[in-house]
Amino acid sequence: MHIGIDVGGTNTDAVLVEGRRVLAECKRTTTADVTTGIVAAVGGLRAAHAFDAASVRAVMIGTTHFVNAVVEGRGLAQTAAVRLGLPATKALPPFVDWPERLRQVIGGHSYLCHGGYEYDGRLISPLDEDELRGVAADIAAKGVRSVAISSVFSLVNGDLERRAAEVLTAEVPELVVSFSHEIGRLGLLERENATIINAALRELAAQIADGLTESLTAQGIDAPLYLSQNDGTLMEIEYARCYPVATFSSGPTNSMRGGAFLSGLDDCVVVDVGGTTTDVGMLHNGFPREASSGVLISGVRTNFRMPDVLSTGLGGGSLVRQGGGVPVGPDSVGFRLSDKALVFGGDTLTATDVAVAAGRADIGDASLVRHLDRALVSSVLGHVSDRIAGLVDRMRAGSSPVPVVLVGGGSVLVPEELAGVGELVRPAHHGFANAIGAAIAQVGGEVDRVFTIDPARRGEVLDAARQEAVDKAVAAGARAGSVRVVEVEEIPLAYLPGNASRVRARAVGDLVLEGVAERAPLGTR
C-alpha cells in the first residue's frame, strides 16, 4: 500500500491506497512547520484504517512549501549567478529583470565569464579558469554559499558548466552548485533565472527533506519517500534536495492527476476548489497540459516545466463581504478556517458558511448560519458559479465541449450544472484528489533539445528522442514494461541555419518498488 499526502495552504490531506482502492482518507489543518500537520494526517489514517507501518511500500508528498518561500522571500540562501558566455551576452547580465526586493534577499551577486556554445555545439570562447578562480575568491569573501552556473546553449553540451563547477569548488569546497542544463529549457535568461531560484532554495530544501523524513520516521514508517513534480511525476527525496524548483506546481498537478484517476477520464478540464484558491487545468492523455510560454515566479520569468493552470482566489476559506465589489475572496482565512468560520463558532463569514447555509455541505454547526439572508446566499453561490464557468471557458482549446471534473474540499460551492458545460463529473473521494494524485504519481523522463534534422532522416531523429526519453524514465526508476511516450513535439527554428528544430519528448511509467531499499536514516547520507 501507498500513502499520498498533499500539503496545501489550508489543509494537509492524506490517503492510504492499495492498488486502485482508497482504504482511508484524512484531512488535517496545515501547520506552520509543515511536518506537524503531516504527522497528524498520518495519525488520522491509522485511526481510520489500522495498518502495519512495515506494509507501507512508498510515501508520496506534494507540497507548495518551496514556491511559497520564494513568494514570501524567506529561507533563501545568499546566491551567486555565474554565466559563461563572454564576449557575448553582456547587454543583459544576470538578475536584469528581477524584482529589487527578491534580488536583495539573495544578494544579487553576478559574474560574467568566458565560455558558452553556439546552437550547433561550436565554442563561443574557451573557459578561462584563472577568471573563474578570481570569481571563487570573491564569492568566498562575500560569504556566498550557493552558486548557479549558466552557459549559453548548455542544453547542447553541459561540459563547460560542469568544468566551471570543478574550478569553483576546488577553491571553495563547501559551495553548493546548481547547473542550468539540469534545470531549465531553451532560452538563456529564463533558464538562468530558474537556476538561480533553485540555488537559493538548496539550503531550505535540505531542511525540509530532513523534516519530512523525521515526520514519517516518528510514525514508524521507513518506506521510500518521494516528492511529486510539476509535471505529475515523482522524484526521490534525495533528488528534491538538489532540484526543489521541480515541486513548485505539484499541488494543482496532483489534483488534476487525481481527478483523472477518480473519474477515469484522460482528456478533460479539472476544477480544483480548495480552501484558498480555485485551480483550473486541462488534462491530455491523463497529464496536465504544460504552459507553452515563460512562467512568472514572484515576478521572475522562468521556463521550467509547469502545468498550464488558471488560478483565482476562491475557496472554502474565502471571505464573504456583504457590501459592494467582489463578494467572495480573494483573501481567505486559510488554515484558520476551523477558528474563524461561523459554523465553527468564529466571527468571520466565509464561503464554507454559505455552503452550509445553502444545504450543500454538512460541516460544523449549521444552526450558527441559519440567520444568513437567503438573497445573500443565492448571490454568493451565483457569483462562484459564474467565476468558475468563466475559467473553464478560458481553459478550453476550442469550441467543442469537454467534460469537467470537480475535485477539492471546496467544490461543494459549485452547483450540479455550470453554464456552457455539458458533462460535470464529481467523482467519489473528490475531496482528496490531490493526495490521491500524489499517491498514484508515476516516474518520467524527458528530452528537450535542438536537433539538426536532415529531412530524409527526420523519423530516425524523432525515434531517437522518444527512446532517450524512455531510457531516462527507466533510469529514474520506472518499470520498463510500463513506460509509454505521452508527448512528442517538434518546433522548427527558422531563425537558425541547418534545419534546426527543437524536439521535446516525454515518457512516463509506473514506479518500481520491488527491491527498493528503505530510507537511509538521517546522518548517514
Side-chain angles (χ1 to χ4, degrees), residues 51-63:
F51 62 89
D52 181 2
S55 63
V56 177
R57 306 291 301 278
V59 179
M60 293 83 162
I61 297 178
T63 175

Side-chain angles (χ1 to χ4, degrees), residues 370-387:
R370 285 197 186 121
H371 66 282
L372 291 181
D373 181 45
R374 294 294 100 185
L376 170 69
V377 171
S378 177
S379 171
V380 168
L381 294 178
H383 173 82
V384 170
S385 177
D386 291 344
R387 280 175 68 180

Side-chain angles (χ1 to χ4, degrees), residues 249-464:
S249 198
S250 60
T253 299
N254 284 340
S255 294
M256 285 192 277
R257 291 276 295 144
F261 175 82
L262 293 171
S263 67
L265 297 171
D266 283 342
D267 295 279
C268 59
V269 172
V270 177
V271 177
D272 177 21
V273 188
T276 307
T277 63
T278 292
D279 301 312
V280 180
M282 187 86 188
L283 281 174
H284 178 60
N285 283 335
F287 282 85
R289 184 174 68 194
E290 290 190 6
S292 57
S293 57
V295 177
L296 284 177
I297 302 294
S298 195
V300 179
R301 182 168 292 277
T302 65
N303 64 355
F304 45 70
R305 292 175 296 176
M306 294 282 275
D308 185 12
V309 173
L310 294 174
S311 298
T312 187
L314 175 63
S318 294
L319 270 59
V320 175
R321 298 176 184 80
Q322 301 185 52
V326 178
V328 189
D331 40 355
S332 166
V333 296
F335 62 82
R336 295 170 297 166
L337 180 68
S338 58
D339 297 325
K340 293 290 187 180
L342 298 183
V343 291
F344 294 112
D347 58 1
T348 306
L349 179 59
T350 68
T352 293
D353 297 316
V354 172
V356 173
R360 291 186 180 178
D362 182 14
I363 302 171
D365 185 349
S367 67
L368 297 176
V369 292
R370 285 197 186 121
H371 66 282
L372 291 181
D373 181 45
R374 294 294 100 185
L376 170 69
V377 171
S378 177
S379 171
V380 168
L381 294 178
H383 173 82
V384 170
S385 177
D386 291 344
R387 280 175 68 180
I388 291 178
L391 292 173
V392 170
D393 190 53
R394 287 172 57 192
M395 183 52 65
R396 288 189 304 189
S399 57
S400 302
V402 290
V404 172
V405 178
L406 275 175
V407 298
S411 63
V412 293
L413 292 165
V414 185
E416 296 303 320
E417 294 184 356
L418 276 178
V421 173
E423 182 183 6
L424 194 63
V425 180
R426 199 188 309 259
H429 307 292
H430 62 85
F432 294 87
N434 46 10
I436 292 171
I440 56 126
Q442 296 174 298
V443 179
E446 185 188 59
V447 174
D448 185 353
R449 284 207 310 271
V450 175
F451 290 82
T452 300
I453 298 180
D454 180 342
R457 300 181 57 248
R458 176 176 173 274
E460 294 179 27
V461 172
L462 296 181
D463 286 344

Side-chain angles (χ1 to χ4, degrees), residues 31-50:
T31 55
D33 65 351
V34 177
T35 55
T36 303
I38 291 176
V39 170
V42 174
L45 290 181
R46 283 184 185 278
H49 183 98

